[in-house]
Amino acid sequence: MAWDPWSCWHWLVLICVCAWGHARPVDLRREGMRNCSTIPHYLPVTVVNTTEQLTALRQQMHTNNLSAYIIPNTDAHMSEYIGEHDKRLTWITGFTGSSGTAVVTMGKAGLWTDSRYWIQAEQEMDCNWELHKEVGSAPIVSWLLTEIPAGGRVGFDPLLFSIGTWKSYDMALKGSDRELVSIKTNLVDLVWGSERPPVPNQPIYFLQENFTGSTWQEKVSSIRSQMQKHPKAPTAVLLSMLDEIAWLFNLRSSDIPYNPFFYSYTLLTNSFIRLFVDKSRINSETLQYLNSSCTGPMCVQLENYSQVYDKVQAYASGAVRIWIGTSNTMYALYKVIPEDKVVAETYSPVMITKGVKNSKEQDLLRDSHVRDAVPVIRYLVWLQKNVPKGIVNEFSGAEQLDSFRREEKFFSGPSFKTISASGLNAAMAHYSPTKEIHRNLSSNEMYLVDSGGQYWDGTTDITRTVHWGTPSAFQKEAYTRVLIGNIDLSRLIFPADTSGLKLEAFARKALWDVGLNYGHGTGHGIGNFLGVHEWPVGFQSSSITMSKGMFTSIEPGYYQDGEFGIRLEDVALVVEAKTKYPGTYLTFEVVSFVPYDRNLIDVSLLSSEQLQYLNRYYQTIREKVGPELQRRKLLEEFEWLQQHTEPLSAGAPCTTFLASLVAVSTIAILDWSI
């Protein structure tokens, strides 16, 4: 029998009474946005005046005989997050979003970015800039063809263009009488001058053996073995992605926000290993760890970071073949290697090997997720007590969650900026609050929190959506269908070497059945104290096929614009499935251990198989996390966990839901009375 929420009407009345005592938070989405159609222009305080920067940049463009200059939001290693030293787009535009491309001509300036950042761009850019709500090279080239005359030259920094990006612009401009021109010295850097933040100089350190799956020597031997077996017989592998190099040598630092990486390149051959890096950052102990005092095949020779182009070019002059991953190698490196000496594949062998965790790495990641469940549960308990008091906002909540994580063993920092979104802000899938712009959390609204931690043994990422009051029937249905998508993909059995793209429809089917959907990807790989988004694992069109030992997130969602957003994200390990008949089949083992919000689950929509799966998952949470909470004497959190992992059945939700409402209502009434 389906649970009837109206059988609990008397408790709902209490919630409504308490809610009257708290003002509804203001919609900040449309506040503080620029208006360039008025005279004078309206510019909010969050806007940066870029007139001086643009004037100086155009002077440099004139010196280099350029009609336009392209400024991507990346660094020389295609890092997902970039350091302050590389935030050229932010400095020239004022826009602080993580994705975008700026183009400056002698008369205009434009920013191209995706829908996640349209509102933010309007809040941060002055009226020197046009906002173009498109992405990719095609719309930028179309705009350039209308803005610059025939014979015009379009400049770019070859260090900031991937091979694919360069090819897309070059092909689009061919035959247009406009020329794409590589400018070796970055023009934004020239005008940024002494104000530009310095290059990070924190120590580069090696991980202790108990936090690594293999020694660096074992990893190097594995990559060399793949070189020898390759049909094109490459003599070297060239690495430029920072996570590849950090993984290969078991080295870490803090050059990139949220990622424990350091600026570097690697040239690995059968006879030598060269690591291009700032040598001053490596102490004697790490030098000894890398065997840097010798020159043999298992000795890591350190070279200056800036020498990589000259050294690769010199090596390429011999009878060699260099293996590169075209998806993550910049044009500046690619162009110094003769075309007939390039062994080009989409991903480097290190990228592919790193994506499959060995048994020790799997155990390390499992352990980190058990510990990470503790601060998330502490946070949900803290919210349950404090949201009815009206004292929590999106930003203060995110800070509280960070503080809980900082108490955890082996914690190194957050794995990304926490997405803490209440009500209509959660409809923006990647919204993050600031100290200046945020909403209060309310018992009358849904709240989405997407967060993660970097630990020495693993990287975590988890999303939960909750409601402390009375959700609408549509909110419950949407939430339950998102949950069904999560369950159906998590329990799926599929043939080995199946593409993730072929699987992700299972996460969407329950939404599709009623005409709903979500606009983001269904999941991404995750590293061992590396990147929270570890490509090429996941459910994207560019992802490699699923293999035993991969970790991926599973994160369906639904977003009702202007009202609410839902996402339920877990991290799962790809494991062998037990099937009735012989064959190589795989499934997922979920390693995130935080229960879903019972208040939002419509059990009547769940099949018996889905309900059984959910109850088994809840039992696993009790077994994994319960003892950890008891060991640390977190008795209130343990009791919360026991309540929220009670087996679900057709009549179960009301009892547990009432228990939660009693606690919330009592706190709210006491606070209201005071």
Side-chain angles (χ1 to χ4, degrees):
M1 180 184 290
W3 171 60
D4 178 6
W6 296 110
S7 65
C8 308
W9 65 269
H10 45 290
W11 296 112
L12 302 180
V13 170
L14 282 174
I15 292 295
C16 294
V17 169
C18 298
W20 293 336
H22 299 280
R24 186 175 181 82
V26 178
D27 177 3
L28 293 175
R29 285 206 312 166
R30 296 291 173 187
E31 292 192 357
M33 295 174 64
R34 67 178 183 170
N35 187 345
C36 299
S37 64
T38 63
I39 299 177
H41 301 320
Y42 170 71
L43 299 176
V45 294
T46 49
V47 157
V48 174
N49 186 331
T50 61
T51 302
E52 187 177 336
Q53 293 97 302
L54 285 170
T55 299
L57 177 60
R58 286 175 174 135
Q59 289 173 350
Q60 291 293 335
M61 290 166 58
H62 177 75
T63 300
N64 286 272
N65 191 26
L66 296 177
S67 304
Y69 190 65
I70 303 174
I71 308 158
N73 196 28
T74 189
D75 63 13
H77 305 274
M78 290 187 67
S79 301
E80 179 182 7
Y81 302 103
I82 57 176
E84 296 298 322
H85 179 77
D86 288 306
K87 291 185 177 180
R88 300 172 180 89
L89 185 136
T90 295
W91 184 80
I92 199 72
T93 66
F95 170 67
T96 61
S98 65
S99 178
T101 300
V103 182
V104 178
T105 68
M106 286 302 181
K108 289 187 178 181
L111 173 77
W112 283 256
T113 190
D114 64 73
S115 59
R116 293 175 295 167
Y117 299 109
W118 293 346
I119 293 172
Q120 182 177 343
E122 297 284 12
Q123 293 171 335
E124 295 179 336
M125 295 195 306
D126 65 12
C127 293
N128 285 313
W129 292 89
E130 300 175 355
L131 174 61
H132 296 266
K133 299 180 178 182
E134 300 171 289
V135 294
S137 59
I140 293 176
V141 170
S142 295
W143 183 82
L144 284 169
L145 294 179
T146 63
E147 295 297 330
I148 63 175
R153 287 160 41 96
V154 180
F156 74 99
D157 182 347
L159 284 172
L160 304 181
F161 267 43
S162 68
I163 299 170
T165 302
W166 167 73
K167 285 182 177 178
S168 66
Y169 279 100
D170 189 56
M171 290 179 64
L173 287 169
K174 267 189 179 13
S176 69
D177 199 19
R178 279 87 168 172
E179 182 185 3
L180 186 65
V181 183
S182 173
I183 306 295
K184 190 172 182 179
T185 302
N186 189 284
L187 301 189
V188 175
D189 293 350
L190 288 178
V191 298
W192 203 349
S194 61
E195 295 180 6
R196 186 183 180 198
V199 177
N201 60 1
Q202 293 299 306
I204 298 169
Y205 60 92
F206 63 91
L207 291 176
Q208 297 299 317
E209 189 175 341
N210 52 320
F211 295 117
T212 65
S214 306
T215 66
W216 71 260
Q217 291 92 338
E218 290 169 335
K219 293 177 180 180
V220 164
S221 296
S222 171
I223 301 305
R224 283 176 170 159
S225 175
Q226 294 179 52
M227 290 165 57
Q228 292 163 5
K229 294 174 183 177
H230 196 287
K232 294 186 178 180
T235 60
V237 173
L238 177 61
L239 304 175
S240 58
M241 289 288 283
L242 302 184
D243 64 334
E244 295 179 307
I245 298 165
W247 175 86
L248 182 64
F249 297 113
N250 295 328
L251 296 175
R252 302 291 190 271
S253 193
S254 56
D255 295 5
I256 305 298
Y258 309 114
N259 291 306
F261 306 151
F262 53 95
Y263 293 119
S264 55
Y265 297 93
T266 292
L267 183 64
L268 170 63
T269 76
N270 285 317
S271 57
F272 66 79
I273 309 166
R274 288 179 181 162
L275 174 61
F276 299 88
V277 70
D278 179 354
K279 293 188 279 189
S280 68
R281 301 172 58 188
I282 299 181
N283 63 25
S284 58
E285 188 179 8
T286 304
L287 288 173
Q288 183 177 359
Y289 163 81
L290 293 170
N291 296 335
S292 292
S293 61
C294 59
T295 58
M298 279 298 180
C299 305
V300 181
Q301 302 170 40
L302 301 186
E303 303 274 5
N304 289 327
Y305 176 80
S306 61
Q307 292 296 306
V308 63
Y309 306 99
D310 293 339
K311 295 289 186 179
V312 170
Q313 189 170 30
Y315 176 77
S317 66
V320 299
R321 293 177 67 81
I322 302 175
W323 191 355
I324 64 169
T326 56
S327 68
N328 45 48
T329 299
M330 292 307 197
Y331 177 67
L333 269 178
Y334 174 71
K335 73 175 185 176
V336 304
I337 308 171
E339 190 173 351
D340 63 337
K341 296 183 179 182
V342 173
V343 177
E345 294 186 356
T346 305
Y347 304 109
S348 79
V350 171
M351 185 71 77
I352 300 297
T353 305
K354 175 171 58 67
V356 179
K357 277 58 175 173
N358 63 28
S359 58
K360 184 178 178 184
E361 290 170 323
Q362 293 172 26
D363 288 341
L364 289 168
L365 261 171
R366 286 190 184 99
D367 290 345
S368 68
H369 280 79
V370 171
R371 289 198 316 279
D372 191 66
V374 174
V376 177
I377 289 170
R378 292 180 67 189
Y379 180 57
L380 292 174
V381 172
W382 181 85
L383 288 174
Q384 184 173 292
K385 292 190 297 184
N386 289 287
V387 168
K389 299 177 184 177
I391 60 174
V392 183
N393 63 52
E394 295 165 328
F395 184 75
S396 66
E399 287 195 316
Q400 183 63 48
L401 178 52
D402 286 345
S403 72
F404 284 141
R405 274 201 172 95
R406 281 194 292 270
E407 298 177 25
E408 293 303 312
K409 186 169 61 172
F410 308 142
F411 181 71
S412 179
S415 57
F416 58 97
K417 185 176 182 180
T418 296
I419 296 171
S420 172
S422 179
L424 76 177
N425 283 343
M428 297 181 282
H430 294 87
Y431 163 88
S432 289
T434 66
K435 191 173 184 179
E436 296 76 26
I437 301 177
H438 54 257
R439 303 180 81 239
N440 283 343
L441 272 59
S442 166
S443 297
N444 302 317
E445 294 185 329
M446 299 180 84
Y447 172 66
L448 184 155
V449 56
D450 184 348
S451 68
Q454 289 284 12
Y455 302 90
W456 294 346
D457 51 352
T459 304
T460 68
D461 184 5
I462 185 170
T463 308
R464 290 295 182 263
T465 305
V466 297
H467 196 306
W468 298 282
T470 308
S472 70
F474 177 59
Q475 288 175 330
K476 289 189 66 171
E477 179 182 2
Y479 181 96
T480 306
R481 290 186 180 278
V482 170
L483 175 60
I484 289 170
N486 182 299
I487 291 172
D488 284 352
L489 185 52
S490 298
R491 62 190 287 267
L492 185 67
I493 295 175
F494 54 93
D497 296 321
T498 300
S499 164
L501 187 63
K502 294 180 180 178
L503 304 177
E504 71 114 43
F506 287 89
R508 298 180 187 268
K509 183 183 181 301
L511 291 165
W512 287 351
D513 284 344
V514 292
L516 304 179
N517 202 359
Y518 53 94
H520 57 72
T522 296
H524 54 80
I526 195 163
N528 283 77
F529 191 28
L530 289 166
V532 71
H533 297 143
E534 185 172 85
W535 311 116
V537 175
F539 301 94
Q540 312 298 321
S541 59
S542 59
S543 299
I544 57 178
T545 58
M546 291 288 179
S547 299
K548 176 184 174 183
M550 290 179 172
F551 280 81
T552 180
S553 69
I554 295 175
E555 48 182 301
Y558 175 72
Y559 308 89
Q560 185 70 21
D561 189 37
E563 295 185 31
F564 64 87
I566 300 163
R567 187 161 62 254
L568 297 175
E569 177 185 18
D570 296 307
V571 171
L573 168 64
V574 181
V575 296
E576 287 186 11
K578 296 178 181 178
T579 55
K580 181 177 180 180
Y581 300 105
T584 308
Y585 285 81
L586 303 173
T587 189
F588 296 104
E589 173 196 324
V590 174
V591 299
S592 301
F593 300 112
V594 177
Y596 310 111
D597 187 3
R598 301 169 77 92
N599 188 26
L600 283 164
I601 300 174
D602 182 350
V603 179
S604 69
L605 294 177
L606 299 177
S607 69
S608 59
E609 292 83 2
Q610 291 159 352
L611 193 57
Q612 289 171 13
Y613 172 90
L614 188 55
N615 286 332
R616 286 197 302 271
Y617 173 58
Y618 278 0
Q619 181 60 32
T620 302
I621 293 176
R622 284 187 170 193
E623 294 169 357
K624 297 283 187 181
V625 183
E628 183 69 12
L629 294 173
Q630 289 180 306
R631 184 184 67 79
R632 293 165 58 173
K633 299 190 181 345
L634 295 170
L635 303 184
E636 185 179 15
E637 287 78 4
F638 177 76
E639 181 59 31
W640 181 94
L641 181 70
Q642 295 298 105
Q643 289 181 357
H644 286 75
T645 53
E646 281 289 329
L648 283 164
S649 63
C654 183
T655 305
T656 307
F657 176 52
L658 283 180
S660 297
L661 284 181
V662 169
V664 172
S665 302
T666 303
I667 293 170
I669 292 170
L670 289 173
D671 183 61
W672 182 46
S673 301
I674 294 170

